């Protein structure tokens, strides 16, 4: 059985789906691992390291002969076409944006699993790549805020006067938001945060930050995710948040609603209410942006001197650890699919839809599309 | 012994009793109670005294019963207390 | 033997008893204290034989032998969990002995008895009998030979009041009329009163009542001491009476019970009140002192933090506790579950803030095999991550998640505020496990108390 | 009496010598403050703010009529020429690199004070701009290290495996080094540090970091600064440091010896001993570099995949707070020179060489050069 | 008055004394305890007049009046710093009184005296006289009426040993020979012994000796009680004797002195030993308990951290202390000097790590004006930043640097390890200031102890 | 009163004395010593007793001196103790 990892081809993607460290977990199961030469370049995994970890390095295409293809970004429709029938592909295959690839997978009779759709149950946490990558993004967001700000984050009382601490506001306190809070707090900033989910108040406070209570009804959907809200409520939320935003030195936004474009938390006017020299870090820039005017991968400076950093491939900016966490998620999912050799029955894969995780994550199987269960 | 001496002794013993146990951790409540319980087994001394000078059979029978009961109280009490305290038995010599 | 020497030796025995109680008040000296007490008792018993004239020596020695033959094996064989009832029984027989001694001495004194002596005799008989019958009932309750629930019946309050009045009445009668019959009547009424007094006491209050009866018995011994002109008995009895009283109050406080309510429940309780008490699954909840003692005598402790630690912001306090244990030579590790808290690495962020050295943190896979050699696992504001349902209850939301197997440790302590479940919303069977002790309250407040208690040890 | 602040003209200099906040301290003394329009642009001080703080905004030259000129970078020889005779200039006038400006100042009869030469005595700490700017640089250095590293700084135990903490090594534990230690520690890294001064062992430990003890004699000169060392000792130090460097994920170097080029702490070979993906932050790049191959203002990637960030104008990257601290230093020094109005004698300046601080900091006075006293 | 009633009232006074000592052992109840003691003494004194026959009433009342006229003003007017010597003097006169009482009673009993009574009398006279003369010498030392240094002269050891032998010898003589003369000789020798006993004691040990003499006096009172058949005197005297003994040991421990060394210094010390003791400038060093009490009764406390706090890594402990004080309703602020530590913002980094809320941190300019209303400034591992030399000593390396003016606070506590100076290497006069208390030791260890002590209050 | 009673009282009083002061903070050492010092001023009672039945002038003189000294000890002692304890005077009512 061959597990293949192609080089990521999307511009800006620096992660890799398997790091050398985890390869022995697969080989121990009896699986062969094939890595496209150079796949780990950006995440500090050299071909030599892969080889000594027990993988085979192949220059050029690795997909054709593969039984399982592991990647970070979904395979392109063209790549899907080259797969064997019955092959398995695991990646961040988004049912909303990667429609073509899913079509192609179904057509090719490929079993396509999406890490985005792994249900958020406790048992699946070790396969939850959304969480592990959000962790990286949240950490980065706080660092970027500190890096761009012309101010210190911590309070410092010095002979040349007192440096007051930065006021950091985090909007959206999911996995990324909480990590951003933690990191900014560690640097000494005064952090406050807001989220629509009622449970998040306790979570925010448990990080030592202040929670902003707005007089709005809460919104919590299934699996701990937020629900989308009406435009009315969104407008009201923006209005109530404005004073908090105006007095912040750094605002970090991480709000997302699964399968939707990111909610618009800050309008141009809100951005303009901020002081010159303040920083906005929009982690949701790629999915539409929480902040009006943010552009993924760019730093936009407004006419009022506010800089908006639009996140793009943020976990890739922490390529080493992001890859390493992602690899473990993928391997854990793959292990779930694997029936190890036992009593003579050879090693095989078993797409068992009884299992809620597999059922949830599978998008195409045997030429058919499946809904995912979320 | 005159009354004032007895009362003085009583009063002082009350103070000693109060002071000695006034700060005891709750895990020791039961062993302490049990130890105190064994101590009042010294009524055995009284029982022996009355038995020794008992003249009628009734007195003898009653006082022999008293001795049996008091002995149970005293000896049993100390033994059971000791067993309760086994957990404190040098489980860790390194302690302080 | 010279009377003065005899008395001096008696006094020495009394000093032993003081030292015994003193020793028993501290974990480190408790065993030694008990032994000193036993030595004192032995001295006192032996020396009495040297005070001539001694009659009936054979009877006396045989009776002692019989008593020892009953008491020692009972005390040796009893199981840990049954000790309280044994203590109750021992206390009862002690009270009975005191009552008998007083009655015999009363016979012996006959008409010579002074009024004071009669009054003390009456006191001894009444309290000794109450202590005897009351203790027997508590014994039966604890041994589950009868219901552990408060026994309350209509008109019970009046019956008990009437009995009390009768006891008082016949006491007066004895003092005025003298003679054996009144004394026997008094004894019978006192026995009845003892029963009625203890019947309405509910299960949890029983230990408090035992302690109180113990103090009573002490007082009867002191009273016998007066009648028998024995300083030793006066001192020993008073000591037990006084320390027993304080102890009763301490116990009531520690259990959060009102002493008054416990004792006079009999008079005030109405049947429906007590019948209504909800029958809940029993959990073992402890005090900060209990936790501290468990920790103090442990060789290895694993701290399992969870979301509650973060909510309580108790990271600094937990570090303090760990440092304290380490300074006592205890091997301490933090067992970090990968999903403890509400964010990946939540516990790391928290503990790093408190400057917990990284090398004290152990991952789940590393720490799980060590629970077998762990004396105490202290679970602080965690729940799901130690919930055995993940292994035992297919279909529950956490089924299949690896957990920290704290149940393999010799003792498990949970610090949480209530019996509420954690994030996944499922009950944790481990909370009801007999080896689990619960310390209820906010994690920070609880830890602070444990630290103080541990420092005091 | 007119105090003038010109716009900084050196490329990359974003600080300003006076921020609006401190202007009232000068006007309260009876001094007039003139600011060149746009001087505060990069440090978030608008002309309007300056005006409302009590300064006069002048478009174009402000030097000619000034009694005192405050600047961050030394005035150019040309600028010096335009000053009134007897005017005072205060800036980072380095006697080693700004020789021309000093010549020009002497020629123009200008009294030139250098903040670099303020002696390191306790009383002068409030005027010690080297310290305040080193503070900014040290903070930035740690942030840059975190930002560039493909690894997390903190330890995180997650469902996708454990992220091990970054090993950060700080070489040179002066003001900047200690602040870098503090910041990296806050982010959760495992920090160790080395310095030649014997006192620094305690200082490093007081920040919660490990001090690396090398078997070398200590080097401490006057005023708490380090002395230069022989090439022998330097080579030995490098040899002994190599194993520590090889296992670090981020190395931050801050070593300096006043008035000298920065000591070379790391050779190419030492850089090559590091793993790919590791980061070196060289704060001394501008003064010759602690690290072989570092270039000020650039990120050099070695053939082995190590990235070396060369610091350039590092405090400018924290322009707001760096300016604000610098301003207070300058104002404190200026106040020392000022004899306030009293009993009819008008406000005046008094260059009193009895005062050890003034004596130490003055480089030219009445057309003569002075040594400084260090 | 009925003898029993009289005795009972005496016992009540004894109970008052017990409660008084109990009260005096805790800051909160100390005043009340003293008052209870005074009540007990009043009861005891008044009731004695109701026990007929009373002769010489006029003399008695006048003598009391004179005593009161001397004692009260002396006690009222004495300055805080002179209290110890007054206590010594009071103790001495008490001892003298006991000796006199015994001598008079000895006269009165004449030949009727039992051997036991004679022995007790001898004991009272000897110890009372030693207590009297010894106390007078300590008074003179403390009052600086004579040198405070140990007075040791060649052959002193032999002289003192010889005197002791003479005292013992004449004691035996009194017991055997009876009569007034031997008793007077004994008294004289005892007075001499008291002087010789105390002379070699050095300044710092004097309080310990006072405490010991105090316990001695207690025992003489108990002995008088035996002779006078007064339970009250026995109880009161024994109480003072016992508690005084313990207290003496506690004091010696707290001062880090060996009790044995203090007492038998007289016998063992050689002149050169003591003469060699360096004469250092006195500083007032305290114990963690002292610090805790100062803090407990403060309304406002300012914590001044410095480099030593960082060295000791005591940031978490200081926060704990602050939190504890805040929970007791004390107003707490941290006074942060701009150059405290070794790096700009050093204290901020440190305290942020311990999660000290930013709003508790006050800059120098903000906190300096408030020291006047501050009860305690606690300086933790800081030195230069509070050194008044910066304002008073032109030319010193820190002259002109603004400092935290902790000397304006009512009390200053320094936590440091030694008398060594700080970074600038200059002595800090504030360490020798009478309002300064030093707590030596590593800041973290010291703070931990202060926290425990404060919790216990 | 017989010897054994007196000894018992003595022994018990020793325990009470020990227990009662065994945990006192060092700031209270001096006030406690001073308070104990005042307590032994009850020798005044003894002095009054001997004065009352003194027959010779010598006895009278000595016992009057004793009364004076004892009074100084007692009254002075309590007053000075009270003064020492002034710092604990409800300086803060809010305490616990
Ligand atoms: N780590 C992640 O990335 C992540 C993210 C989302 C969800 N989760 C889930 O969160 C759970 C984590 O498990 P856990 O054991 O850490 O937490 P948990 O199962 O939620 O249990 C926390 C316990 O702490 C107690 N508690 C709360 N506040 C307290 C306080 N102030 N003092 C003392 N106790 C307090 C609560 O009991 P009382 O109310 O009785 O006090 C509760 O039982 C898992 O189910 C995991 O799947 C984890
Ligand atoms: N902030 C800056 O940027 C900076 C930079 C360089 C220099 N400085 C200078 O550093 C000084 C700072 O003043 P400071 O008051 O913070 O410090 P300091 O004057 O150096 O005093 C520190 C004190 O802490 C005590 N100490 C050291 N370790 C201790 C421990 N483990 N436990 C308890 N005490 C300990 C020392 O006394 P023992 O030895 O007796 O314990 C010492 O007296 C100033 O002179 C300042 O000019 C400051
Ligand atoms: N049980 C599990 O196994 C598990 C695992 C991981 C996460 N979770 C839970 O799921 C939650 C969401 O995780 P996520 O970070 O991946 O979510 P996400 O990335 O989908 O969204 C980020 C955050 O944005 C918030 N948000 C959405 N709309 C918003 C709006 N209009 N205004 C403000 N905030 C808005 C959401 O509430 C969420 O907290 C987490 O907080 C976590 O508690 C559970
Ligand atoms: N007393 C005061 O008022 C005062 C004020 C500020 C700083 N200081 C002291 O002065 C010291 C130096 O301050 P700085 O940061 O401005 O110095 P700096 O910028 O000149 O040098 C930075 C550090 O590099 C170190 N260094 C030099 N050569 C080295 C080598 N070959 N290897 C390793 N390290 C080397 C130096 O020891 C110094 O610690 C500080 O540590 C501080 O304690 C004192």
């Amino acid at each position: 059985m061959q597990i293949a990892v192609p080089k990521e081809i999307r511009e800006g993607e620096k992660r890799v789906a398997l790091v050398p460290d985890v390869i022995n977990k697969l080989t121990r199961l009896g699986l062969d691992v094939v890595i496209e030469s150079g796949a780990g370049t950006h995440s500090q995994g050299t071909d030599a390291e892969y080889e000594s970890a027990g993988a085979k390095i192949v220059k050029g295409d690795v997909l054709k002969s593969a039984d399982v293809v592991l990647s970070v970004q979904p395979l392109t429709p063209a790549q899907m076409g080259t797969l064997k029938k019955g092959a398995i592909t695991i990646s961040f295959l988004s049912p909303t944006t990667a429609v073509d690839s899913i079509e192609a997978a179904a057509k090719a009779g490929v079993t396509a699993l999406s890490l985005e759709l792994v249900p958020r149950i406790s048992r699946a946490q070790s396969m939850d790549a959304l969480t592990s990558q959000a962790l990286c993004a949240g950490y980065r967001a706080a660092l970027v805020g500190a890096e761009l700000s012309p101010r210190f984050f911590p309070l410092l009382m010095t002979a040349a006067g007192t440096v007051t601490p930065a006021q950091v506001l985090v909007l959206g306190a999911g996995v990324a938001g909480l990590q951003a809070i933690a990191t900014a707090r560690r640097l000494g900033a005064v952090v406050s945060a807001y989220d629509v989910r009622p449970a998040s108040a306790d979570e925010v406070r448990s990080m030592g930050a202040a929670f902003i209570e707005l007089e709005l009804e809460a919104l919590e959907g299934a699996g701990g995710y937020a629900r989308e809200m009406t435009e009315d409520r969104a407008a009201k939320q923006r209005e109530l948040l404005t004073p908090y935003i105006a007095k912040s030195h750094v605002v970090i936004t991480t709000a997302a609603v699964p399968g939707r474009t990111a909610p618009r938390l800050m309008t141009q006017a809100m951005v303009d209410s901020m002081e010159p020299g303040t920083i906005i870090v929009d982690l949701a820039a790629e999915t539409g942006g929480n902040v009006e005017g943010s552009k993924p991968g760019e730093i936009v400076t407004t006419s009022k001197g506010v800089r908006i950093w639009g996140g793009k491939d943020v976990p890739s900016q922490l390529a080493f650890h992001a890859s390493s966490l992602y690899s473990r998620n993928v391997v854990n999912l793959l292990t779930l699919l694997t029936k190890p050799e036992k009593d003579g029955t050879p090693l095989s894969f078993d797409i068992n839809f009884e299992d809620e995780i597999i059922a949830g994550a599978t998008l195409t199987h045997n030429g058919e599309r499946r809904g995912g269960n979320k | 012994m005159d009354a004032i001496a007895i009362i003085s002794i009583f009063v002082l013993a009350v103070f000693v009793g109060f002071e000695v146990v006034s700060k005891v951790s709750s895990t020791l409540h039961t062993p302490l109670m049990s130890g105190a319980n064994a101590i009042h087994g010294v009524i055995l001394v009284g029982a022996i005294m009355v038995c020794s000078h008992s003249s009628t059979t009734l007195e003898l029978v009653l006082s022999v019963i008293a001795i049996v009961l008091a002995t149970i109280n005293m000896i049993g009490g100390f033994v059971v207390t000791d067993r309760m305290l086994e957990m404190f038995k040098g489980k860790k010599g390194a302690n302080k | 033997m010279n009377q003065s020497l005899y008395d001096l030796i008696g006094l020495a025995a009394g000093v032993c008893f003081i030292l015994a109680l003193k020793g028993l008040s501290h974990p480190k000296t408790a065993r030694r204290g008990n032994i000193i007490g036993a030595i004192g008792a032995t001295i006192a018993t032996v020396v009495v034989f040297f005070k001539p004239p001694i009659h009936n020596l054979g009877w006396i020695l045989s009776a002692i032998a019989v008593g020892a033959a009953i008491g020692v094996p009972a005390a040796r064989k009893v199981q840990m969990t049954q000790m309280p009832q044994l203590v109750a029984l021992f206390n009862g027989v002690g009270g009975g002995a005191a009552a008998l001694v007083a009655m015999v001495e009363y016979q012996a004194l006959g008409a010579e008895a002074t009024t004071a002596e009669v009054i003390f005799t009456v006191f001894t008989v009444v309290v000794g009998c109450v202590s005897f019958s009351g203790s027997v009932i508590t014994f039966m309750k604890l041994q589950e030979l009868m219901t552990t629930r408060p026994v309350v019946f209509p008109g019970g309050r009046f019956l008990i009041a009437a009995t009390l009045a009768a006891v008082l009445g016949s006491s007066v009668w004895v003092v005025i009329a003298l003679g054996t019959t009144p004394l026997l009547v008094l004894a019978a009424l006192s026995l009845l009163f003892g029963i009625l007094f203890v019947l309405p006491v509910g299960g949890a209050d029983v230990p408090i009542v035992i302690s109180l009866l113990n103090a009573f018995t002490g007082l009867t011994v002191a009273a016998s001491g007066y009648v028998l002109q024995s300083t030793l008995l006066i001192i020993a009895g008073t000591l037990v009476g006084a320390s027993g009283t304080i102890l009763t109050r301490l116990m009531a406080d520690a259990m959060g019970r009102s002493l008054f309510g416990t004792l006079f429940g009999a008079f005030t309780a109405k049947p429906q009140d007590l019948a209504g008490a909800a029958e809940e699954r029993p959990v073992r909840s402890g005090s900060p002192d209990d936790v501290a003692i468990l920790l103090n005598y442990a060789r290895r402790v694993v701290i399992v933090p969870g979301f509650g630690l973060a909510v309580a912001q108790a990271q600094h306090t937990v570090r303090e506790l760990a440092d304290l244990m380490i300074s006592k030579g205890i091997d301490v590790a933090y067992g970090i579950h990968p999903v403890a808290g509400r964010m990946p690495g939540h516990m790391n962020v928290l503990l790093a803030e408190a400057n917990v050295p990284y090398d004290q943190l152990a991952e789940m896979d590393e720490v799980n095999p060590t629970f077998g050699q762990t004396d105490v696992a202290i679970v602080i504001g965690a729940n799901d991550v130690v919930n055995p349902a993940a292994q035992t209850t297919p279909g529950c939301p956490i089924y299949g998640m690896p957990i920290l197997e704290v149940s393999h440790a010799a003792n498990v302590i949970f610090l949480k505020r209530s019996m509420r479940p954690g994030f996944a919303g499922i009950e944790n069977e481990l909370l009801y496990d007999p080896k689990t002790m619960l310390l209820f309250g906010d994690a920070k407040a609880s830890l602070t108390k444990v630290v103080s208690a541990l420092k005091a040890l």
Side-chain angles (χ1 to χ4, degrees), chain A residues 90-93 113-118 127 129-130 326 330 333:
Chain A
I90 305 181
S91 62
F92 268 134
L93 189 63
L113 279 86
S114 165
L115 286 164
E116 281 188 20
L117 298 183
V118 168
M127 312 159 201
L130 277 184
Y326 184 85
V330 171
L333 181 55

Side-chain angles (χ1 to χ4, degrees), chain A residues 120-123 125 128 131 135 175 178 197 202-203 223, chain C residues 304-314 337-347 379-387 397-398 401 414-426 428 431 439-446:
Chain A
R120 280 224 158 149
I121 57 176
S122 292
R123 177 164 63 96
Q125 272 174 305
D128 186 350
T131 290
L135 179 72
V175 174
L178 288 177
R197 287 176 303 111
D202 255 358
E203 295 168 8
Chain C
V304 176
F307 182 57
L309 184 82
V311 171
Q313 289 283 297
H337 191 281
V339 305
R342 291 290 182 274
M343 176 191 85
H346 201 161
M347 295 301 117
V379 181
I380 307 176
N383 200 339
D384 295 348
V385 299
V386 297
N387 193 340
I398 60 169
M401 177 177 86
F414 270 86
L415 269 62
K416 60 200 303 288
R417 297 165 305 181
S418 66
M419 294 300 290
R420 280 193 300 273
F423 182 84
I426 44 175
N428 189 343
L431 297 175
L439 178 55
F440 287 116
D442 177 74
K444 186 167 181 183
S446 297

Side-chain angles (χ1 to χ4, degrees), chain B residues 19-82:
Chain B
E19 286 299 321
V20 144
V21 304
S22 63
K23 265 183 195 160
V24 60
S25 86
S26 64
T27 307
L28 282 170
H29 285 172
T30 310
L32 181 57
M33 177 172 80
S34 176
N37 172 37
I39 288 174
H40 68 50
V42 287
I43 188 64
L44 175 59
V45 170
I48 292 173
M49 280 158 67
V50 296
C51 183
S52 164
H53 60 67
S54 64
S55 40
T56 68
T57 314
L58 179 67
E59 281 178 31
L60 185 65
V61 170
L62 289 181
S63 58
V64 164
I65 297 178
I67 294 177
V68 173
L69 295 184
T71 310
I72 295 177
N73 182 185
M74 186 164 96
I75 304 192
F78 284 116
V79 173
V80 83
T81 309
D82 194 61

Side-chain angles (χ1 to χ4, degrees), chain A residues 210-231:
Chain A
F211 186 76
I212 296 176
E213 307 267 7
L214 300 185
E215 294 194 356
L216 284 171
E217 79 277 24
L219 286 178
E220 183 146 357
Y225 288 109
R227 278 189 294 121
E228 211 181 1
M229 55 186 171
T230 61
E231 186 40 40

Side-chain angles (χ1 to χ4, degrees), chain C residues 69 71 107 111 216 235 248 259 385 427:
Chain C
Q107 292 293 99
F216 279 3
I235 294 179
T248 309
L259 194 52
V385 299
E427 274 237 87

Side-chain angles (χ1 to χ4, degrees), chain B residues 1-12:
Chain B
M1 210 184 282
D2 61 6
I4 186 68
I6 291 181
I7 296 177
S8 301
I9 290 173
F10 176 75
V11 168
L12 289 170

